[in-house]
Amino acid sequence: MSLVQTQELTKVYGAGDTAVTALDHVNVHVNPGEFVAVMGPSGCGKSTLLHLVGGLDRPTSGRVWIEDTSLGDLNDDKLTELRRRKIGFVFQFFNLIPVLDATENAALPLTLDGTSPGDAKKKARAWLTRVGLGNRLTSRPDQLSGGQQQRVAIARALAAEPALVLADEPTGNLDTHSGDEIAGLLRQVSDEWQRAVVMVTHDPRIAAYADRIVFLKDGRVVDDTKLKQDGSDNTQMVTGKMHALAE
Amino acid sequence: MPIQFTLAARYLWGRKLRTFLTTLAIVFGVLVIFSMNILLPTMLQAFQSSILTASGQVDLTITHKSGETFSTRVLDQVENVSGIRAASGTLERPVNIPTNFFRQGNVGAVSLIGLEPKAAQALRDYSVQAGRFLRSGDTNAAVITAGLADAVGLKLGDELPVPTAQGVVRFKIVGIRPAQALPGNEPVYVPLAQAQKVLSLPNRINTIQANYNTNDAAPRAVIEQTIQNILGSEYQLGGLGSSSELFASIGLAQQGSNLFGFLALFMGGFVIFNTFRTIVAERRRDIGMLRAVGASRRTIVALFLAEGLLQGILGTAIGIGMGYLAGVGITSLMSGMFEQFLHVQMGAPVVEPSLLIITTLLGIGVTLFSGLLPAWNASRVTPLEALRPSVADVEARKPWSKANIAGAGLIVIAILGLLSNNIAFVALGGFAFLIGLVLIAPVLVKPLANIFSAVLGVIFARQGTASLAQGNLTRQPSRAAITASATMIGLAIIVAVVGVMVSITGGIYSVLEKSLGSDYLLIPPSLGVWSSDVGADAALADRLRSVYGVGVVSTLRFASTTVNDEQVNLLGVDPVAFPQVSGLNFTEGDPHDAFAQLAQGRNLIVNGMTATQLKVKLGDTVKLSSPEGEQTYRIVGIGSDFINTKIMTAYTSQQNLKRDFHKTEDVLIQLNLAPGADAVQVEARLQEILAKYPQFKLISGKAYLQESQQLFDAAFSIYYVMLVVLALPSLIAMLNTLAIGVLERTREIGMLRAIGATRRQVRRTILTEALLLAATGTAFGLLGGLYLGYVMVLGMSASGIMPVAYSFPLAGILAAIAIGLLFGVIAALLPARQAAQMNIIRALRYE
Ligand SMILES: Nc1ncnc2c1ncn2[C@@H]1O[C@H](COP(=O)(O)OP(=O)(O)O)[C@@H](O)[C@H]1O
Ligand SMILES: [Mg+2]
């Protein structure tokens, strides 16, 4: 069974003359542990798709299933609980709480879920160590570089042991080197820790880390391609595909 | 610790300056409430204790309705009522003292008080500062006050001569009491039997005082009722009669202070509300992120309330501490004034445990309550807001939101309320108006900012900063509106209170001039407390009229009466002469007609106090009790004079007074000079005539007017002190909000610097912005303040506290404009400096 399944997912912003159809009857699925990249030109609906799958926004029509739960059936509290337990988010702008240190930021989903602060911090520390920040546990966000802040965000996304990690342009604000590191880390999230990852990006080099790439254009899925993760560089192939679809 | 508290504490700690400033707002709110409430009771206590000392600090005072003496048997009857712990009968009479009667000094009259030493001391304490109090067995012994002793140069052991029906009687001074607190005749305490003898009133008394053996309200009421039943309706229970004027003053002070306290509370709550609104706006991204990673709406509400709670506790604790210090400080400053003008000693401020509890609840409660709406708004922030890149937070708002429309609606309601002339609607309208202004402010910010920036643009030409500042404001009208409305509330309160004070002083002065505007006044020892005054028969007025150069002479006569068991002072005037030399401030009825009607039958003019208390209006009839039985009088006008404003008073013709009350004594005489008369000559002649009437003091109207005005100015200075106490925190609130406004835009300022704005330009921009905000807030504040002030004045007139017309507080408005703009600049100086010095990199990363 798929971890994520969308069914004729449609999102229209605004109404009347100014209405914008950001997603147009989209059907996509994500398997457990799978690393999916979502690509497409700016404004094609990538973020919208991610928001709807993550339960951050409600569709105009259609459905989103996470395992056997239809998000449309949940009230705000239930939806919030589902986000807390099943989904981890990584944002382009890191979005750490400036007044909390790395450990406390990473522990947030657990503390919000009622885990005792001691346990929550222990888990957060373990995840921070795994993402390579074992030596910056007590640093505050403003004392960390962009790449490091994004690692804290990833540790935070993983702390509650979710089945799904959603990342919207996680490398969009990073230099090439840091971007590669973060993409590699997300690869590891899928390979080593068996979480499904859905990552929005417009960078073919970053998308090449994924198992599968979904291409969107004008709110519709125009291509769905599997990649072989056998150590070879897929960047060339992804770039080619991008250009072909842009025609 | 729950995550909400951790986060709350971190946010507070992480933004120390901000936390300091907002906590300061709470501190000041609490400070005002707390200091006012320990200050005023202390003041009132001083007032009250002086009244109680004067009235005998007893549970019950019994007098005859006519004010005349009665048999000592009545005392026996009262003593036999169960529940009476102690009772004492006294005979009190004013005794006029001829001029040059004593070896030195002159006193117009003394109050001879005959009492049974044992019974009297069982009731209350008669402390002496030298010698001893009277004891049983004393005969020609007297205890006098230090005031009298000093005035006439007598000391312990000397003999005090008193003029009586039996010639001069000498009393040996055995004790001296401290100077009395209240103005009025100096008391001379002598044994009751002696007083009865010298006044030729054997076995008569005119006052019974008693204490109960219980403090519970119910049994006390039963005892009082029993006594009333036994004695009958001829006797009056519990009345403090002559002190009613002071009680009325206390009531006024209490109402004034309640108003201040209420305004302070409103303001404190508003500042906190504003702060939270700002914080929520500033932290939208954080909130969105928390929501995205799984914080429920309840968690978000709890987070803000936790922050409110922490700040509330901290601010309340500091506020109470500082409030106490302020209370103590102001008390010690004011006690000097009190001693000088009221002869009252103020005690140390008293903090009731209940005040501590109430203030704590109020401080924390108001903080939490004010945080509620912003917290709820915060919980409505969608997780998506965390994900949107924060390029430019230009507010995309509809030209008129629901809140704006509601605000406009409230203002319309307020104006309708004002037009309705119904006090309840007008008062409601006052609040509708302020809230309406707050709600509509965002829409008005843009046009106002445009106007003011055009003005500033002229002043700061070439800099380009005015338009940048204006852009900043109009880009985020609701944030600008928050800041401006803090200024607004602060200034509105100042303008309102100054408006009220100007109206009251203006009102009082105009009444003063009307009442005491005659060229000369012959005044008795105690103005207003007519029953204790001894007057002169008509011969004096006739002699005065015959003096060459004297024009019109008008006299005032007095009788005490009751209407529906309420005591009313009845003053007899000459309907022709009175309006010529003096007059009344009419609120209803035509002055000319009213006086004309006084001359024709049983007609009355009542003052505002009487009209309110008796619930009567023009044309109504009332039944006055008189020695001739009940008489029906018709009300032909409602008007007040200055002296009797706060006492239930009615005016009628001297003919009526003579026919129904047998009173022909003149207790106050006013006269005008004839045109072209020589004032010096006339005055000398008047003094000659008055030598035989020592109970009257001759003063020129102008001098008296001045004297009275000085007294009022002194009394009003207390209110100005309160105004400062209240204005200060509202101004600091404004400073606070402006400073926060700058803090909030740290990142933006960093950006300005990064793209090449010089420090000077940044500083200019912030200053200009603050000025624009201050100007906007001041404009709103003036509107709100004028309305509020008008409402308060109307309320005072309608409730019969004091009939005054609203005066436009021009001085208050000018002061408010100056203060508003000055504080706008001061509030911006520090942040502007900070912004200019800002490290660009840090500023850009400021979250
Ligand atoms: N909150 C919104 N209101 C109106 N239109 C929106 C909103 N969010 C996104 N859109 C529009 O929907 C379309 C898809 O947006 P988005 O999903 O953000 O695209 P992408 O992430 O692929 O760049 C765009 O045309 C965008 O302008
Ligand atoms: Mg996007």
Side-chain angles (χ1 to χ4, degrees), chain A residues 1-5 29-34 65-69:
Chain A
M1 193 183 76
S2 301
L3 174 66
V4 178
Q5 178 71 57
H29 71 280
V30 179
N31 294 320
E34 193 184 13
W65 297 82
I66 303 279
E67 290 171 340
D68 48 7
T69 313

Side-chain angles (χ1 to χ4, degrees), chain B residues 267 338 366 374 385 408 412 433 483 486 583 598 604 625 751 792 799 842:
Chain B
M267 198 184 68
F338 264 65
V366 165
E385 308 214 18
V412 171
F433 194 70
T483 317
L598 283 194
L604 274 186
S625 67
M751 188 271 292
M792 290 183 206
S799 59
R842 281 185 64 101

Side-chain angles (χ1 to χ4, degrees), chain B residues 213-333:
Chain B
N213 57 12
T214 169
N215 278 321
D216 299 332
R220 287 168 75 97
V222 172
I223 301 170
E224 200 174 316
Q225 195 51 53
T226 314
I227 295 174
Q228 186 81 70
N229 290 345
I230 292 174
L231 299 184
S233 60
E234 290 299 285
Y235 288 84
Q236 179 172 304
L237 268 61
L240 287 173
S242 64
S243 299
S244 62
E245 185 180 6
L246 269 161
F247 271 121
S249 310
I250 288 179
L252 193 66
Q254 188 100 58
Q255 271 155 333
S257 70
N258 285 346
L259 186 72
F260 273 101
F262 182 73
L263 288 177
L265 190 64
F266 182 73
M267 198 184 68
F270 185 75
V271 169
I272 295 158
F273 171 71
N274 261 354
T275 309
F276 274 106
R277 279 213 297 189
T278 329
I279 292 178
V280 170
E282 190 195 41
R283 252 189 250 153
R284 291 190 92 77
R285 277 168 71 82
D286 284 10
I287 299 165
M289 197 281 299
L290 282 170
R291 293 279 289 127
V293 302
S296 66
R297 288 193 169 143
R298 236 168 301 118
T299 309
I300 301 294
V301 171
L303 164 64
F304 280 93
L305 291 187
E307 244 176 89
L309 188 66
L310 290 178
Q311 281 191 292
I313 291 173
L314 193 71
T316 304
I318 299 173
I320 286 179
M322 286 174 60
Y324 181 75
L325 293 181
V328 173
I330 295 172
T331 309
S332 68
L333 278 180

Side-chain angles (χ1 to χ4, degrees), chain B residues 707-748:
Chain B
E707 223 171 88
S708 305
Q709 287 188 353
Q710 273 165 10
L711 203 72
F712 270 104
D713 286 342
F716 274 113
S717 63
I718 296 171
Y719 276 92
Y720 280 105
V721 170
M722 286 196 202
L723 180 62
V724 172
V725 172
L726 187 70
L728 214 62
S730 64
L731 293 175
I732 287 180
M734 170 180 146
L735 204 144
N736 174 355
T737 332
L738 275 171
I740 286 174
V742 173
L743 279 182
E744 227 171 81
R745 290 216 328 280
T746 304
R747 194 176 355 190
E748 205 175 294

Side-chain angles (χ1 to χ4, degrees), chain A residues 46-47 168-169 200:
Chain A
K46 306 183 293 290
S47 295
D168 194 349
E169 311 228 17
V200 167

Side-chain angles (χ1 to χ4, degrees), chain B residues 7-27:
Chain B
L7 273 173
R10 291 295 176 79
Y11 272 120
L12 292 175
W13 187 244
R15 297 271 182 275
K16 291 187 195 64
L17 182 58
R18 146 79 58 89
T19 306
F20 169 76
L21 288 173
T22 48
T23 310
L24 207 62
I26 304 168
V27 165

Side-chain angles (χ1 to χ4, degrees), chain A:
Chain A
M1 193 183 76
S2 301
L3 174 66
V4 178
Q5 178 71 57
T6 74
Q7 190 185 327
E8 303 296 325
L9 197 60
T10 302
K11 178 75 183 179
V12 181
Y13 288 111
D17 287 349
T18 56
V20 175
T21 307
L23 284 183
D24 196 356
H25 298 87
V26 170
N27 297 295
V28 289
H29 71 280
V30 179
N31 294 320
E34 193 184 13
F35 185 176
V36 179
V38 180
M39 293 194 77
S42 184
C44 69
K46 306 183 293 290
S47 295
T48 304
L49 176 64
L50 213 66
H51 296 161
L52 292 178
V53 168
L56 298 177
D57 204 357
R58 306 243 181 210
T60 310
S61 68
R63 284 175 171 268
V64 176
W65 297 82
I66 303 279
E67 290 171 340
D68 48 7
T69 313
S70 168
L71 299 191
D73 299 336
L74 303 180
N75 65 20
D76 188 80
D77 280 352
K78 287 279 172 228
L79 201 58
T80 303
E81 190 180 300
L82 178 124
R83 282 204 300 271
R84 209 154 59 202
R85 299 193 172 154
K86 291 254 165 75
I87 305 173
F89 288 92
V90 177
F91 308 110
Q92 181 179 356
F93 296 97
F94 325 135
N95 281 347
L96 303 177
I97 299 288
V99 294
L100 298 179
D101 68 20
T103 311
E104 288 164 331
N105 263 295
L108 259 184
L110 293 168
T111 20
L112 286 172
D113 203 33
T115 312
S116 79
D119 285 354
K121 282 195 182 167
K122 213 161 84 193
K123 286 208 175 103
R125 267 186 233 114
W127 277 110
L128 284 169
T129 313
R130 272 177 223 156
V131 301
L133 282 180
N135 55 343
R136 306 305 301 265
L137 294 176
T138 55
S139 301
R140 281 220 321 257
D142 60 357
Q143 298 162 330
L144 298 171
S145 72
Q148 286 170 327
Q149 288 188 52
Q150 203 59 305
R151 283 165 192 269
V152 176
I154 292 173
R156 182 180 67 193
L158 295 169
E161 314 275 345
L164 176 65
V165 172
L166 300 175
D168 194 349
E169 311 228 17
T171 63
N173 254 17
L174 300 175
D175 59 276
T176 323
H177 179 68
S178 305
D180 274 323
E181 280 181 0
I182 293 300
L185 192 56
L186 289 172
R187 178 74 254 167
Q188 199 180 355
V189 168
S190 161
D191 283 349
E192 199 170 312
W193 302 311
Q194 273 84 49
R195 318 275 182 236
V197 176
V198 179
M199 173 184 72
V200 167
T201 184
H202 55 254
D203 184 345
R205 222 167 31 75
I206 299 298
Y209 284 84
D211 294 320
R212 185 152 66 91
I213 302 183
V214 174
F215 285 93
L216 289 182
K217 194 177 175 184
D218 296 335
R220 289 173 210 235
V221 178
V222 289
D223 193 273
D224 194 333
T225 309
K226 275 206 166 21
L227 298 182
K228 278 202 277 299
Q229 290 296 349
D230 53 5
S232 62
D233 190 358
N234 290 320
T235 312
Q236 214 82 49
M237 182 272 229
V238 176
T239 313
K241 191 123 211 158
M242 245 176 78
H243 287 302
L245 288 167
E247 296 301 298

